[in-house]
Amino acid sequence: MPPATPEPILKDRRIIVGVCGGIAAYKACEVVSQLAQRGAQIHVVMTESATKFVTPLTFESLSANKVMTSTWTLSDSADPQHIKLTEKADLILVVPATANLLAKVALGVTDDLLSLMINASACPVVFAPSMNNRMWDHPACVENVAKLKNWGYTFIGPEAGWLACRNVGMGRLSEPKQIIDEVVAMLTDADKMPKALPQP
């Protein structure tokens, strides 16, 4: 008997999924697919390095929406930086979130589409980090994560375990099921929904 289709409990919810360049990017495919099966409208934003691990076509097939990769490729001439999309979205989920992306957000750097959209976001932002254990434990990353949490950003993971670099330690992306379950809980329970950062 085929597995049952998930209930569309995220119907009418809009989620922007940011994908960064790390080996764990392939796991974002499962996250996008499962959220879409639960009724969410998914818009994927990929960094240039992310496209080296998974093609935009993969995420377009899973989300049924055009994947955004650059501020120089216009899909809406009235919204060249896709900022208005964050005003319509319920959540931005970055999976995997690399040390590079976390550093950019912590420092206010907006040199690609994903960091720009996060910086200008009008909705809550959730990071699911993935990186080498020594990168996660580096003082710069520790400081950046603490700063982002203090500002009000939400984190899912990372976990301890086997890493792609053959190390065992903290930095492994949380399993897709955990990420999906936590996002579903946020979007269906007002008490668990993180707040957007205050706008000036």
Side-chain angles (χ1 to χ4, degrees), residues 103-186:
K104 284 183 180 183
V105 179
L107 295 173
V109 176
T110 58
D111 63 352
D112 62 22
L113 181 58
L114 179 56
S115 58
L116 186 155
M117 291 177 72
I118 293 170
N119 187 269
S121 66
C123 62
V125 179
V126 177
F127 297 111
S130 172
M131 64 194 75
N132 169 271
N133 59 302
R134 289 193 294 273
M135 294 173 71
W136 177 253
D137 291 332
H138 191 283
C141 188
V142 171
E143 183 176 305
N144 289 335
V145 170
K147 179 190 289 188
L148 293 172
K149 287 182 176 179
N150 185 57
W151 284 350
Y153 290 104
T154 300
F155 283 74
I156 300 174
E159 313 297 334
W162 175 263
L163 306 174
C165 58
R166 303 305 191 264
N167 286 356
V168 176
M170 188 66 71
R172 180 182 176 86
L173 182 74
S174 295
E175 289 302 315
K177 184 180 186 307
Q178 180 183 344
I179 296 172
I180 293 160
D181 287 347
E182 292 201 30
V183 169
V184 168
M186 291 175 192

